[in-house]
Amino acid sequence: MKILIETPTGIVRDTFFTPENVERINALGTVEWNPYDRHMTPEEFRDALVDVDVCFCCWGVPAFDSLVLEKANNLKIIAYVGGSVNHFATDEVYNRGIHVLTGNEEFARSVAEGNLGYIIAALRRLPQTVNEMAADGWQLTYKRTESLLEQNVGIVGLGTISRYLISYLKPFQCNIKLFSNHTTDEEAAALGVEKVSLEEMFKTCKIISVNSARTPKNYHMISDELMGLLRPDCLIVNTSRGSLIDEEAMARHLQAGHFRAILDVYEEEPLPMTSGLRGLENCILIPHRGGPTTDRRAAATRVVIDDVIAIMNGGTAKYEVGKARAATMTHI
């Protein structure tokens, strides 16, 4: 079996393709590596896929379109160690019957963990307290802090990340409300959550976590009007994509003290220094670090390797992504 690893040289490749993972891949067949410190051009990728059975890849891989697949005479599996496959898994891929695998499950576990950490950090004012102690030595002025225990928490969107986040919130005895167009009341009840409208969520929840996929339909789904329903003690957390929130409207609300936010993603990244979100006491800004922690990257690759082995042995992959599901994943 011939295997191509398209991921360029550098820290991303080193952290996903650890020595243990490389040893397992080497045991599967002949392995060729991207020799560059950049992704291959579509033409280079096309030529490299000749006789390749399995292609391992990660963030930034060129789309597997008709040009790239022109010479892919043996390609059976695309083993993507990242999350969403929407940006590269074209109709051409599915028309050829190529298996599309993803490390999305491991990504989701880690992102949900980060999401939970962000909520607790914001409620307890941990970033501000750290900064105050660094500046003043010991901050004795009372500042109100809050617990996650028994809070009303709203979750926008029900994907893999949200499912993990729901399970992580359960020990805190939270009352969880869900907005999802693709979930029935019965499915929500089975998860132990209540399905509600966005309007009800924004009127009744203390904490709102935005976890929907970025699709054209979801652009600015968190609107000026919705944010106007929040109380000053409410908290919005966004670890999904910045375009889900009307960022300009959010900046105005935060500047007026209408609620609080902890944000990991933005409409424009890096966040411009001129952004109205900067310099606000009630807004914690994080530079897109909500993804899987460095140590969990190897785990994402490990489950993808497991699925490659399962398919090659005539079995069923655990984390294969079909065409319909790919269409609902975040558009990168």
Side-chain angles (χ1 to χ4, degrees):
M1 182 166 67
K2 185 177 179 180
I3 299 165
L4 172 67
I5 298 179
E6 193 281 333
T7 309
T9 60
I11 188 64
V12 171
R13 189 159 90 181
D14 292 344
T15 50
F16 279 95
F17 296 93
T18 57
E20 295 79 10
N21 284 334
V22 170
E23 182 177 357
R24 294 186 70 201
I25 294 171
N26 284 336
L28 299 178
T30 302
V31 182
E32 295 185 358
W33 296 78
N34 179 349
Y36 308 114
D37 60 358
R38 58 168 175 80
H39 287 283
M40 295 179 176
T41 66
E43 292 76 15
E44 290 168 341
F45 200 16
R46 174 197 60 196
D47 294 340
L49 284 172
V50 174
D51 295 334
V52 167
D53 298 282
V54 180
C55 178
F56 281 88
C57 50
C58 192
W59 304 316
V61 64
F64 287 80
D65 57 18
S66 56
L67 169 64
V68 166
L69 292 173
E70 183 180 348
K71 300 180 182 180
N73 53 317
N74 283 341
L75 188 62
K76 302 174 184 67
I77 302 172
I78 298 172
Y80 184 65
V81 299
S84 172
V85 306
N86 180 277
H87 58 296
F88 71 79
T90 65
D91 287 346
E92 183 74 12
V93 168
Y94 288 107
N95 290 342
R96 290 181 175 220
I98 297 170
H99 298 279
V100 179
L101 311 178
T102 177
N104 188 64
E105 192 79 13
E106 287 299 322
F107 269 54
R109 292 177 66 197
S110 193
V111 173
E113 176 194 37
N115 203 319
L116 178 65
Y118 287 173
I119 292 171
I120 293 173
L123 291 174
R124 289 178 171 263
R125 297 188 72 256
L126 292 180
Q128 296 95 327
T129 302
V130 168
N131 291 338
E132 289 162 1
M133 187 161 183
D136 302 329
W138 194 268
Q139 177 58 260
L140 296 178
T141 303
Y142 172 76
K143 298 286 180 67
R144 178 179 173 81
T145 57
E146 295 173 285
S147 169
L148 177 56
L149 290 165
E150 301 178 1
Q151 295 283 12
N152 288 335
V153 179
I155 296 179
V156 181
L158 183 63
T160 311
I161 293 170
S162 292
R163 291 179 185 275
Y164 278 111
L165 181 59
I166 288 168
S167 69
Y168 295 169
L169 288 169
K170 290 298 179 64
F172 294 89
Q173 295 93 48
C174 294
N175 176 34
I176 303 173
K177 299 186 179 184
L178 171 72
F179 171 79
S180 172
N181 286 322
H182 308 290
T183 306
T184 66
D185 292 340
E186 292 74 20
E187 289 169 336
L191 290 169
V193 303
E194 178 188 2
K195 185 182 175 186
V196 299
S197 67
L198 280 175
E199 289 76 14
E200 180 177 346
M201 180 183 294
F202 275 68
K203 287 178 181 177
T204 61
C205 287
K206 176 67 170 286
I207 301 154
I208 294 175
S209 180
V210 182
N211 297 102
S212 288
R214 180 172 70 180
T215 65
K217 182 182 67 175
N218 289 342
Y219 178 76
H220 283 187
M221 67 185 299
I222 309 303
S223 65
D224 185 5
E225 292 74 20
L226 280 174
M227 289 183 279
L229 300 175
L230 295 173
R231 306 183 308 274
D233 63 342
C234 290
L235 171 69
I236 287 184
V237 183
N238 189 9
T239 58
S240 50
R241 288 295 185 269
S243 63
L244 298 177
I245 298 177
D246 183 339
E247 195 171 278
E248 184 177 336
M250 171 177 264
R252 292 197 303 270
H253 281 287
L254 289 169
Q255 291 162 8
H258 291 168
F259 54 85
R260 298 175 290 164
I262 181 164
L263 307 173
D264 185 72
V265 289
Y266 312 92
E267 291 204 63
E268 180 182 347
E269 296 183 358
L271 182 69
M273 294 303 297
T274 56
S275 170
L277 296 172
R278 291 187 179 273
L280 302 177
E281 171 67 19
N282 58 350
C283 184
I284 299 169
L285 305 176
I286 300 168
H288 206 142
R289 294 293 185 270
T293 53
T294 306
D295 61 317
R296 297 308 298 172
R297 292 179 177 184
T301 305
R302 186 168 62 245
V303 298
V304 171
I305 295 171
D306 290 343
D307 271 357
V308 170
I309 293 171
I311 291 173
M312 300 312 294
N313 288 337
T316 302
K318 190 174 182 181
Y319 301 122
E320 182 165 358
V321 179
K323 183 177 180 179
R325 185 183 169 213
T328 68
M329 300 178 87
T330 286
H331 296 215
I332 296 176

